[in-house]
Amino acid sequence: MYSGTNVDKYSFRNDYSESAHPKIIEKLLSLAYETNTPYGEDKHSEAAANIIRDLCGKPDATIAFIGGGTATNVLAISAFLRNTYDAVICADTGHINVHETGSIEYAGRKAITIPVDVDGKLTPELIDPVFKGFESEHMVVPKLVYISQSTELGTIYSKAEISALSEYCHANGMKLFVDGARLASALMSRYNDVTLKDLGALCDGFYLGGTKNGLLFGEALVLTDAESADHLRWLIKQRGFMLAKGFVVGAMFEEALSSGLYFEMAKYANESAERIVEAIKQAGFDLYAPFQTNQIFVLVPEELGRELSDTYGCFIQARLPDGRWAVRIVTSCASTEAAITDISEWFIKKVCAGIVKNYIGK
Amino acid sequence: MYSGTNVDKYSFRNDYSESAHPKIIEKLLSLAYETNTPYGEDKHSEAAANIIRDLCGKPDATIAFIGGGTATNVLAISAFLRNTYDAVICADTGHINVHETGSIEYAGRKAITIPVDVDGKLTPELIDPVFKGFESEHMVVPKLVYISQSTELGTIYSKAEISALSEYCHANGMKLFVDGARLASALMSRYNDVTLKDLGALCDGFYLGGTKNGLLFGEALVLTDAESADHLRWLIKQRGFMLAKGFVVGAMFEEALSSGLYFEMAKYANESAERIVEAIKQAGFDLYAPFQTNQIFVLVPEELGRELSDTYGCFIQARLPDGRWAVRIVTSCASTEAAITDISEWFIKKVCAGIVKNYIGK
Amino acid sequence: MYSGTNVDKYSFRNDYSESAHPKIIEKLLSLAYETNTPYGEDKHSEAAANIIRDLCGKPDATIAFIGGGTATNVLAISAFLRNTYDAVICADTGHINVHETGSIEYAGRKAITIPVDVDGKLTPELIDPVFKGFESEHMVVPKLVYISQSTELGTIYSKAEISALSEYCHANGMKLFVDGARLASALMSRYNDVTLKDLGALCDGFYLGGTKNGLLFGEALVLTDAESADHLRWLIKQRGFMLAKGFVVGAMFEEALSSGLYFEMAKYANESAERIVEAIKQAGFDLYAPFQTNQIFVLVPEELGRELSDTYGCFIQARLPDGRWAVRIVTSCASTEAAITDISEWFIKKVCAGIVKNYIGK
Amino acid sequence: MYSGTNVDKYSFRNDYSESAHPKIIEKLLSLAYETNTPYGEDKHSEAAANIIRDLCGKPDATIAFIGGGTATNVLAISAFLRNTYDAVICADTGHINVHETGSIEYAGRKAITIPVDVDGKLTPELIDPVFKGFESEHMVVPKLVYISQSTELGTIYSKAEISALSEYCHANGMKLFVDGARLASALMSRYNDVTLKDLGALCDGFYLGGTKNGLLFGEALVLTDAESADHLRWLIKQRGFMLAKGFVVGAMFEEALSSGLYFEMAKYANESAERIVEAIKQAGFDLYAPFQTNQIFVLVPEELGRELSDTYGCFIQARLPDGRWAVRIVTSCASTEAAITDISEWFIKKVCAGIVKNYIGK
């Protein structure tokens, strides 16, 4: 269920409601009369790609700047699953299964879904019995495991968890891909021990999200598996994902990464969320999923869930059997000081008013 | 064959080598902290859509802002060709046939190609004998005619020509779609008699290109045929074309259209091209295709073709049996006064130097 | 897990291990020099289609004779799901989900799976909460419910159950399709109250299986929904399913249906299975799923499961937590008297030998 | 344009109007109670495959028995073109381009067509300039050349011609596939110098047609390129082409090949056609395409074209500018002595009656 869309003052609906960080836009202004090679073969894209190659310790990685997250997922999965009978394994809560309108199936591939816990994470133990069931030509061939970092529930995989998945996948002829729509927030999480170099070493592909981290739009796909990257530009063009002015995305990533702004924006979003979580804890509300990045899932009584949704545009993630609602609060680099203070005080006030006494201490 | 990509001073390679008109970028800067509804359901997209609806006299038209031209073509053709056996008819020089890496076929549809003259235009007379050949279940069913305005050769269809195509298509159970990557330039051509209202009345769909007319990226798809527009947002999302920050494209079109800048930029590009054509004529070179918009196809000896390509990044369109090369020169709103003067003088100088005397008077 | 494939004497592996009933083959012999119109537009196909139209009370139904079950499912689902965002709902045990190598996804459509009980049946109560979750353009649109009669577990839907599904589907803008690979066996079941006329009235499409009921190959697809049947022959040809000698399948169905042989063969298979079930019960073994048609799922200790598989080619359906195996025994019109007696005595002997005493009475 | 379908006495419409040679059907009768492993993994399929491997001198070739010609083409092209940007080059008259309802495009691949002469043959000289045009990521990648033996016009490639194509393809990173719907007729042509061993050595894949050469249905796909044959059974199943009773096709090929009947039937069809051609020549009519196999394309005045079509069910291939019609006459193993005599006399009588005097000697 989606939230109300007309928020008067402060929105915590998501991290893609404002255009972009001013420094990013100013960079584009500087290119108004600078001639660039089209279709992503320009100097800005190359510079940004090289920074990413350095950061993830993969000098030969293939990098492509793509317009959005669903497009990047479709592209990556097309690159990994070359045969029509190849299939991808994902969590049943995975974005590609739930919220991309069957784009994987439109691309002719089966997504094999595995039920996961509230932390939204896949493990070798969950995958293995499912994987072993695909044993004949009457069934598809699992070739890829897809996870998100951070997950749809805002949690993050530890290095040990990703290492275990990587080892399992490679031992079983599968590749590992990480949807990084919110990778910046994951990398800057105080709970995180996974570096870009780890991702470079452990995964066959991942992407650094830009849309949800202060860019106008755009994601940086990183393929470390050379075979999967074969003829990637053909795949991009054929799916309608190649931007004539590809240098626009390249230049935004160049600006964000070379200046460190990419990481500062994510750090700010995480710290803003943490301030709100502190208010939530102080007010005595429980969380639906562990807090780790820039997404908070707070459990509140139904009437407060409605109010949060109406006031701050928040999305309702789930309704619990005990009547409580899990409401999502998302911060970004555009979350203002005033907004953070406002929603923090909202939680404190509810408790002071005695509205939620029944839930305190649960 | 593509041209050299490292042009030192002035480029006439294409109309998508610079980021965007400064006013467009400044508009995006103003939205750095303005909260907007995601996925194109925002007030800027709605305002831009309403301007377009007014301009084309179709208050009920479905409008969608898409990231690029190939994506928009794929989307429109998917919208028109719902059945897997439906096919699109296009010129053999059509962009969807030649330069979109089989994106139509990737979408599972057959493109039926018809050889056309150097003006790149389809006519009912060319289409009819081909159309009549599709008569049984062993063949696909032609359901759409695709044309470009301006064409790949920079020419434009007259109102009479589009009317004839519209009448023919509708009499034969087909729709008519106009690829408008360079529609602004066509509309502002001094040779043009087709208005947006004509397109609204005669076509089932078309798009107003932004990428090639001063925007950072983005095209405005207009579907006047309600049946074809059914569940359009599902089609957009499924193909990976729905931008989370859809308001970015909406706001750029809002700014460009509400201020008249959209048309001024195209007019400037056309007039710049016309100045170059005057120099070409004065120098005595022939044109490969009639000059009408912002693309010039000039016939020069091979050695000058190479020089044009090296100096100005120009694309070689064709090599004639008589040894001459057809070289493409494209202007845009980012073509500077200095650049236009420079290339104009280049042509004059070649003649003064006596290099091209053999071609004068042909 | 598939069973051993080299069975010396008697096979109960499946109902498609022998070529065809001799009367069916003799019919084809009579056509060795009879000229027929190709591609299924012949007099035998027409005669067979008319018999089917009469049997299901649908004089305007569209009938097509297709080579096999997966092809028929793919075709029907393609006919019902014209839009790329349309999706089919099925049981997680459904043949299209489990054993057709992702053919639905290869056709670009999402199969939404619902976990079902051991009887393998979908109900409106199971479907409704899933259906209601598909509410925006970020998700596919459920347009079809797919069930099998008999199910993968050999059970059959009652008329009340199919009526409830039909009512639910039509009230919610969905169609209902019945995979009838083993429809003959279901129709002739002593537990059955669903007639072909009921199917004609309640479903939008179904098929009468031939491959698993004594024909060399072939299924008769019946579409009662005219809109879904539009241009069906184009869909058939495009997917590679149109047989040049379509009259071969038409003539087999004509022969089987006009003589009543089609139903006699299924009745014989069911009665043969019932004789084996009586022996199983007498021997004291439990069944994994209720016995209703020509498939028996018997629960035996692991060592007997292996023996059944080795001796009679039986497929192992499941391994229970208590150590027992669910073994599938399938009869057909080619199951000989000797074979039925042999396997029946096998069960009795095991008990007499005291091997399975631990399981008696469970 | 298709011919009349209700032919009273003798049909020369095509070579797939009768069920099958009686010996083929009798073989199937012998399997009415013989248990066989399903899905083509049976002893008859294996025996037939081994005969084919011997005949084409490729002991490691992958063989699959498929239900029909379009299905076999779709399958083979899917096997050769694993990447979505891979494309197939074919003659513009090629069956996959003209008469398979866009099945290649439905499978997501582009068919690049090349205009050919009336003999319907591709050559390296025709292919090369087209091939060289595909040079960037804005275009597909040609990976396969598709030809038919015999061609749609009944002509055959010589060994030298196939060798030249093979050499060209392999030198340019392409594979070569031969559609053998009428391969038997080509092999048995008195004008033929291509053996199955040649095909095995020169091509990456081809098929031996059964439907058009006396079998009930079925084609034998031969893939000599191991990489393209990878996971072939998954491709077959996913496309709906795997027959549960695959042994039915295997047994027909086993019977036809082990007894030599396969080649005798084609020889008979060719010789029957030759008798008709002699009558045509004697009567003084020209041929539209060179006569080489079991298809005759005779040029007759329009009124005789209509009569041929009405009397013998013949298909009209073309209408010439001079008013003559090219009418197709096809023989098969089911063409009776009486039928051949009848149509031969028809030609002679027309001349004796003076009807066609205007055309004699042209």
Side-chain angles (χ1 to χ4, degrees):
Chain A
M1 191 189 65
Y2 281 90
S3 59
T5 56
N6 295 306
V7 177
D8 283 333
K9 285 176 70 181
Y10 304 121
S11 169
F12 290 92
R13 177 175 177 162
N14 58 45
D15 34 16
Y16 43 95
S17 288
E18 295 79 17
S19 65
H21 193 286
K23 285 187 185 165
I24 299 295
I25 303 176
E26 280 156 16
K27 172 74 176 185
L28 298 179
L29 198 53
S30 76
L31 307 181
Y33 292 95
E34 181 190 286
T35 297
N36 275 287
T37 306
Y39 302 117
E41 296 190 307
D42 61 283
K43 60 182 176 289
H44 301 291
S45 298
E46 189 54 24
N50 281 333
I51 297 171
I52 294 171
R53 288 186 188 103
D54 278 353
L55 287 170
C56 65
K58 285 281 172 178
D60 299 327
T62 300
I63 315 281
F65 299 100
I66 304 299
T70 298
T72 308
N73 283 334
V74 165
L75 172 64
I77 290 171
S78 295
F80 285 116
L81 306 184
R82 297 289 172 127
N83 296 302
T84 59
Y85 47 77
D86 293 341
V88 55
I89 293 177
C90 65
D92 60 356
T93 55
H95 204 261
I96 56 169
N97 185 46
V98 179
H99 276 123
E100 299 189 358
T101 322
S103 61
I104 301 306
E105 291 81 7
Y106 173 67
R109 299 299 181 270
K110 192 175 182 78
I112 301 164
T113 57
I114 296 182
V116 290
D117 282 340
V118 76
D119 68 359
K121 295 189 204 172
L122 282 178
T123 63
E125 292 67 35
L126 286 169
I127 297 171
D128 193 54
V130 173
F131 176 78
K132 285 202 165 60
F134 290 85
E135 61 188 0
S136 81
E137 68 268 38
H138 301 272
M139 294 162 148
V140 291
V141 181
K143 276 286 185 187
L144 180 69
V145 169
Y146 161 100
I147 61 171
S148 298
Q149 177 83 327
S150 64
T151 71
E152 293 297 308
L153 275 301
T155 55
I156 53 176
Y157 285 85
S158 69
K159 184 173 173 185
E161 288 170 333
I162 291 187
S163 296
L165 281 169
S166 174
E167 197 175 329
Y168 177 80
C169 286
H170 297 150
N172 287 285
M174 293 194 289
K175 309 284 186 190
L176 178 61
F177 176 69
V178 177
D179 178 333
R182 292 190 176 96
L183 185 58
S185 177
L187 289 168
M188 301 310 289
S189 165
R190 67 156 69 211
Y191 308 95
N192 177 55
D193 68 348
V194 182
T195 65
L196 278 170
K197 283 202 170 53
D198 293 331
L199 291 177
L202 296 170
C203 305
D204 302 284
F206 61 95
Y207 75 88
L208 291 89
T211 301
K212 295 179 179 173
N213 190 39
L215 270 57
L216 277 177
F217 70 107
E219 328 293 318
L221 175 64
V222 181
L223 294 182
T224 57
D225 179 61
E227 199 184 340
S228 302
D230 179 50
H231 277 74
L232 185 68
R233 288 177 60 79
W234 278 254
L235 292 177
I236 294 171
K237 178 72 182 182
Q238 189 179 50
R239 277 143 196 78
F241 300 156
M242 187 172 280
L243 290 165
K245 295 181 179 174
F247 57 85
V248 165
V249 186
M252 289 193 288
F253 269 99
E254 181 192 23
E255 175 67 24
L257 290 168
S258 65
S259 67
L261 179 63
Y262 185 77
F263 301 103
E264 287 163 24
M265 292 190 290
K267 188 159 177 279
Y268 177 83
N270 288 353
E271 288 172 355
S272 300
E274 192 151 12
R275 285 177 53 195
I276 299 170
V277 167
E278 279 160 20
I280 287 170
K281 285 185 179 167
Q282 192 183 332
F285 294 95
D286 288 337
L287 297 182
Y288 175 68
F291 167 71
Q292 297 189 297
T293 53
N294 71 323
Q295 295 187 86
I296 305 162
F297 293 85
V298 62
L299 289 167
V300 293
E302 181 175 338
E303 65 271 26
L304 291 193
R306 288 188 198 283
E307 194 178 325
L308 269 174
S309 183
D310 289 344
T311 311
Y312 300 105
C314 295
F315 177 85
I316 311 303
Q317 178 76 13
R319 293 186 173 93
L320 266 55
D322 67 9
R324 288 185 296 176
W325 284 15
V327 180
R328 188 179 75 160
I329 296 164
V330 191
T331 58
S332 79
C333 68
S335 297
T336 60
E337 184 66 31
I340 295 160
T341 302
D342 192 84
I343 196 170
S344 297
E345 289 179 353
W346 183 92
F347 278 103
I348 303 298
K349 277 181 206 155
K350 293 303 163 193
V351 179
C352 297
I355 291 172
V356 293
K357 58 187 173 186
N358 294 334
Y359 291 91
I360 304 296
K362 276 206 175 176
Chain B
M1 191 190 65
Y2 281 91
S3 59
T5 55
N6 295 307
V7 177
D8 283 333
K9 285 177 68 183
Y10 304 120
S11 170
F12 290 92
R13 177 176 176 161
N14 58 46
D15 34 15
Y16 44 94
S17 288
E18 295 80 17
S19 65
H21 193 286
K23 285 188 185 165
I24 297 296
I25 303 176
E26 281 157 13
K27 172 71 176 185
L28 297 179
L29 198 52
S30 77
L31 306 181
Y33 292 96
E34 181 191 286
T35 297
N36 274 286
T37 306
Y39 301 117
E41 295 191 309
D42 61 283
K43 60 181 177 290
H44 301 290
S45 298
E46 189 55 23
N50 282 332
I51 296 171
I52 294 171
R53 288 186 189 103
D54 278 353
L55 287 170
C56 66
K58 285 280 172 179
D60 299 327
T62 300
I63 315 281
F65 298 101
I66 304 299
T70 297
T72 308
N73 283 335
V74 165
L75 173 63
I77 290 171
S78 295
F80 284 115
L81 305 184
R82 297 290 172 126
N83 295 303
T84 58
Y85 46 78
D86 292 341
V88 55
I89 292 176
C90 65
D92 60 357
T93 55
H95 204 263
I96 56 168
N97 185 47
V98 179
H99 277 124
E100 299 189 357
T101 322
S103 62
I104 302 307
E105 291 81 6
Y106 174 67
R109 300 297 182 271
K110 192 177 183 76
I112 302 163
T113 57
I114 296 181
V116 290
D117 282 339
V118 75
D119 67 359
K121 294 190 203 171
L122 282 177
T123 63
E125 291 68 35
L126 286 170
I127 297 171
D128 194 54
V130 174
F131 176 79
K132 284 201 164 62
F134 291 86
E135 61 186 2
S136 82
E137 68 268 37
H138 300 272
M139 294 161 148
V140 292
V141 180
K143 276 288 185 186
L144 180 69
V145 169
Y146 161 100
I147 61 171
S148 297
Q149 179 82 326
S150 64
T151 71
E152 294 297 309
L153 276 300
T155 56
I156 54 175
Y157 286 85
S158 70
K159 184 172 175 185
E161 288 170 333
I162 292 187
S163 297
L165 280 169
S166 173
E167 198 176 327
Y168 177 80
C169 286
H170 297 151
N172 286 285
M174 292 193 289
K175 309 286 186 190
L176 178 61
F177 175 70
V178 177
D179 178 333
R182 294 191 175 95
L183 186 57
S185 177
L187 289 167
M188 301 310 288
S189 165
R190 66 158 70 211
Y191 308 94
N192 177 56
D193 69 347
V194 182
T195 65
L196 278 170
K197 284 203 168 53
D198 293 331
L199 291 176
L202 296 169
C203 305
D204 302 285
F206 61 95
Y207 76 88
L208 290 90
T211 301
K212 295 178 179 173
N213 190 38
L215 269 57
L216 276 179
F217 69 108
E219 328 292 319
L221 175 64
V222 181
L223 294 182
T224 58
D225 179 61
E227 200 183 339
S228 301
D230 179 49
H231 277 73
L232 185 68
R233 289 177 60 79
W234 277 253
L235 293 177
I236 295 171
K237 177 73 182 183
Q238 190 179 49
R239 277 145 196 77
F241 301 156
M242 186 171 281
L243 290 164
K245 295 181 178 175
F247 57 85
V248 164
V249 187
M252 289 192 287
F253 269 99
E254 182 192 22
E255 176 66 23
L257 290 168
S258 66
S259 67
L261 179 63
Y262 185 77
F263 301 103
E264 287 162 25
M265 293 189 290
K267 189 159 176 280
Y268 177 82
N270 288 354
E271 289 172 354
S272 301
E274 192 151 12
R275 285 177 53 194
I276 299 169
V277 166
E278 279 160 21
I280 288 170
K281 286 185 179 164
Q282 193 184 332
F285 294 96
D286 287 338
L287 297 182
Y288 175 68
F291 168 71
Q292 296 189 299
T293 54
N294 70 323
Q295 294 187 86
I296 306 162
F297 294 85
V298 63
L299 289 167
V300 293
E302 182 176 337
E303 64 271 26
L304 291 194
R306 288 188 198 283
E307 193 179 324
L308 269 175
S309 183
D310 289 343
T311 311
Y312 300 105
C314 295
F315 176 86
I316 311 303
Q317 178 77 14
R319 292 186 174 92
L320 265 56
D322 66 10
R324 288 185 297 175
W325 284 16
V327 180
R328 188 180 75 160
I329 296 164
V330 192
T331 58
S332 78
C333 68
S335 299
T336 61
E337 184 66 29
I340 296 160
T341 302
D342 193 83
I343 196 169
S344 297
E345 290 178 352
W346 183 93
F347 278 102
I348 302 298
K349 279 180 207 156
K350 295 302 162 192
V351 179
C352 298
I355 292 171
V356 294
K357 58 186 173 187
N358 294 335
Y359 292 91
I360 304 297
K362 277 209 175 175
Chain C
M1 189 190 64
Y2 281 91
S3 60
T5 55
N6 295 307
V7 177
D8 283 334
K9 286 176 70 182
Y10 304 121
S11 170
F12 289 93
R13 176 173 176 163
N14 58 46
D15 34 15
Y16 44 93
S17 288
E18 295 80 17
S19 65
H21 193 286
K23 285 187 185 167
I24 297 294
I25 304 176
E26 280 157 14
K27 173 72 175 184
L28 298 179
L29 199 52
S30 77
L31 306 181
Y33 293 95
E34 181 191 285
T35 297
N36 275 287
T37 306
Y39 302 117
E41 295 191 307
D42 62 283
K43 60 181 176 290
H44 301 290
S45 298
E46 188 54 24
N50 282 332
I51 296 171
I52 294 171
R53 289 186 188 103
D54 279 354
L55 287 171
C56 66
K58 285 282 173 179
D60 299 327
T62 300
I63 316 282
F65 298 101
I66 304 299
T70 297
T72 309
N73 283 334
V74 165
L75 173 64
I77 290 171
S78 295
F80 285 116
L81 306 184
R82 297 291 172 125
N83 296 302
T84 58
Y85 47 76
D86 292 342
V88 54
I89 292 176
C90 66
D92 59 357
T93 56
H95 203 263
I96 55 169
N97 185 45
V98 179
H99 277 122
E100 299 190 357
T101 322
S103 62
I104 301 307
E105 290 81 7
Y106 173 67
R109 301 297 182 271
K110 192 175 182 77
I112 301 164
T113 57
I114 296 181
V116 290
D117 283 339
V118 75
D119 67 359
K121 294 189 203 173
L122 283 177
T123 63
E125 291 68 35
L126 286 169
I127 297 170
D128 195 53
V130 174
F131 176 79
K132 286 202 163 64
F134 291 86
E135 61 187 2
S136 82
E137 68 268 36
H138 301 272
M139 294 163 147
V140 292
V141 180
K143 275 290 185 185
L144 180 70
V145 169
Y146 162 99
I147 61 171
S148 297
Q149 178 82 329
S150 62
T151 70
E152 293 298 308
L153 276 298
T155 56
I156 53 175
Y157 285 85
S158 69
K159 185 174 172 182
E161 288 169 333
I162 291 186
S163 297
L165 280 170
S166 173
E167 198 175 327
Y168 176 80
C169 287
H170 297 150
N172 287 285
M174 292 193 288
K175 308 285 184 189
L176 179 61
F177 175 70
V178 178
D179 178 332
R182 293 191 175 95
L183 185 58
S185 178
L187 289 168
M188 301 310 288
S189 164
R190 67 156 70 213
Y191 308 95
N192 177 57
D193 69 347
V194 183
T195 65
L196 278 170
K197 284 201 168 54
D198 294 330
L199 291 177
L202 297 170
C203 306
D204 302 284
F206 60 96
Y207 76 87
L208 290 91
T211 301
K212 296 178 178 173
N213 190 38
L215 269 57
L216 276 178
F217 70 108
E219 329 292 318
L221 175 64
V222 181
L223 293 182
T224 57
D225 178 60
E227 199 183 340
S228 302
D230 178 50
H231 277 73
L232 186 67
R233 288 177 60 77
W234 278 252
L235 292 178
I236 294 171
K237 178 73 183 182
Q238 189 179 51
R239 277 145 195 76
F241 301 156
M242 187 172 281
L243 291 164
K245 294 181 178 175
F247 57 85
V248 164
V249 186
M252 289 193 287
F253 269 99
E254 181 192 23
E255 177 65 23
L257 290 168
S258 67
S259 67
L261 179 62
Y262 185 76
F263 301 103
E264 287 163 24
M265 292 189 291
K267 187 158 179 279
Y268 176 82
N270 288 354
E271 289 173 355
S272 299
E274 190 150 12
R275 284 177 54 195
I276 299 169
V277 167
E278 278 160 21
I280 287 170
K281 286 184 177 166
Q282 194 183 331
F285 293 96
D286 287 338
L287 296 182
Y288 174 68
F291 167 70
Q292 295 189 300
T293 54
N294 71 324
Q295 294 187 86
I296 306 162
F297 294 85
V298 63
L299 289 167
V300 294
E302 180 175 338
E303 64 272 26
L304 291 194
R306 289 188 197 282
E307 194 178 326
L308 269 175
S309 183
D310 289 343
T311 311
Y312 300 106
C314 294
F315 176 86
I316 312 302
Q317 179 75 15
R319 292 186 174 93
L320 266 57
D322 67 9
R324 288 184 297 175
W325 284 15
V327 180
R328 188 179 74 159
I329 296 164
V330 191
T331 58
S332 79
C333 70
S335 298
T336 61
E337 184 65 31
I340 295 159
T341 302
D342 193 83
I343 196 169
S344 297
E345 290 178 352
W346 183 92
F347 278 102
I348 302 298
K349 278 181 205 156
K350 293 303 163 193
V351 179
C352 297
I355 292 171
V356 294
K357 57 186 173 188
N358 294 336
Y359 292 90
I360 305 296
K362 275 205 177 177
Chain D
M1 190 188 66
Y2 280 91
S3 59
T5 55
N6 295 306
V7 177
D8 284 333
K9 285 176 70 183
Y10 305 122
S11 169
F12 290 93
R13 176 174 176 163
N14 57 45
D15 34 15
Y16 43 93
S17 289
E18 295 80 15
S19 65
H21 193 286
K23 284 187 186 167
I24 298 295
I25 303 176
E26 280 157 15
K27 172 72 177 186
L28 297 179
L29 199 52
S30 77
L31 306 182
Y33 292 95
E34 182 191 285
T35 297
N36 274 287
T37 306
Y39 301 117
E41 296 191 306
D42 62 283
K43 60 182 176 291
H44 300 291
S45 298
E46 189 54 24
N50 281 332
I51 297 170
I52 294 171
R53 288 186 188 104
D54 279 353
L55 287 170
C56 64
K58 285 282 173 178
D60 299 326
T62 301
I63 316 281
F65 299 100
I66 304 298
T70 298
T72 308
N73 283 334
V74 165
L75 173 63
I77 290 170
S78 295
F80 285 115
L81 306 184
R82 297 290 172 125
N83 296 302
T84 58
Y85 47 76
D86 292 341
V88 55
I89 293 177
C90 65
D92 60 356
T93 55
H95 204 262
I96 55 169
N97 185 45
V98 179
H99 276 123
E100 300 189 357
T101 321
S103 61
I104 301 307
E105 290 82 7
Y106 173 67
R109 299 299 180 272
K110 191 175 183 77
I112 301 164
T113 58
I114 297 181
V116 291
D117 283 340
V118 75
D119 67 359
K121 294 189 203 171
L122 282 178
T123 64
E125 292 68 36
L126 286 169
I127 296 171
D128 194 54
V130 173
F131 175 79
K132 285 203 164 62
F134 291 86
E135 61 187 0
S136 81
E137 68 268 39
H138 301 272
M139 295 163 146
V140 291
V141 180
K143 276 288 186 186
L144 180 70
V145 169
Y146 161 100
I147 61 172
S148 297
Q149 177 84 327
S150 63
T151 71
E152 293 298 307
L153 275 300
T155 55
I156 53 175
Y157 286 85
S158 69
K159 185 173 172 184
E161 288 170 333
I162 292 187
S163 297
L165 281 169
S166 173
E167 198 175 327
Y168 177 80
C169 287
H170 297 151
N172 287 285
M174 293 194 289
K175 309 285 185 188
L176 177 62
F177 176 70
V178 178
D179 178 332
R182 292 190 177 97
L183 185 58
S185 178
L187 289 168
M188 301 309 289
S189 165
R190 67 157 69 212
Y191 309 94
N192 177 56
D193 68 347
V194 182
T195 65
L196 278 170
K197 283 201 169 55
D198 293 331
L199 292 177
L202 296 170
C203 307
D204 303 283
F206 60 95
Y207 76 88
L208 291 90
T211 301
K212 296 178 179 174
N213 190 39
L215 271 55
L216 276 178
F217 70 107
E219 328 292 318
L221 175 64
V222 181
L223 294 182
T224 57
D225 178 61
E227 198 184 341
S228 302
D230 179 49
H231 277 72
L232 185 68
R233 288 177 61 79
W234 277 254
L235 292 177
I236 295 171
K237 178 72 182 183
Q238 190 179 49
R239 277 144 195 78
F241 300 156
M242 187 172 280
L243 289 164
K245 294 180 179 176
F247 57 85
V248 164
V249 186
M252 288 193 288
F253 269 99
E254 180 192 24
E255 176 65 23
L257 290 168
S258 65
S259 67
L261 180 62
Y262 185 76
F263 302 102
E264 287 163 25
M265 292 189 291
K267 189 159 178 279
Y268 177 83
N270 288 354
E271 289 173 355
S272 300
E274 190 150 12
R275 285 177 53 196
I276 299 169
V277 167
E278 279 160 20
I280 287 170
K281 286 184 178 166
Q282 193 184 333
F285 294 96
D286 288 336
L287 296 182
Y288 174 68
F291 167 72
Q292 296 189 299
T293 54
N294 71 323
Q295 295 188 86
I296 306 161
F297 294 85
V298 63
L299 288 167
V300 293
E302 180 176 338
E303 64 272 25
L304 291 193
R306 289 188 197 283
E307 194 177 325
L308 269 175
S309 183
D310 289 344
T311 311
Y312 300 107
C314 295
F315 176 86
I316 312 303
Q317 178 76 13
R319 292 186 175 93
L320 266 57
D322 68 8
R324 288 184 297 176
W325 283 15
V327 180
R328 187 180 74 160
I329 296 164
V330 191
T331 58
S332 79
C333 68
S335 298
T336 62
E337 184 66 31
I340 296 158
T341 302
D342 193 83
I343 196 170
S344 298
E345 289 179 352
W346 183 92
F347 279 102
I348 303 298
K349 278 181 205 155
K350 293 304 165 193
V351 179
C352 297
I355 292 171
V356 292
K357 58 186 172 186
N358 294 335
Y359 292 91
I360 305 296
K362 275 205 176 178

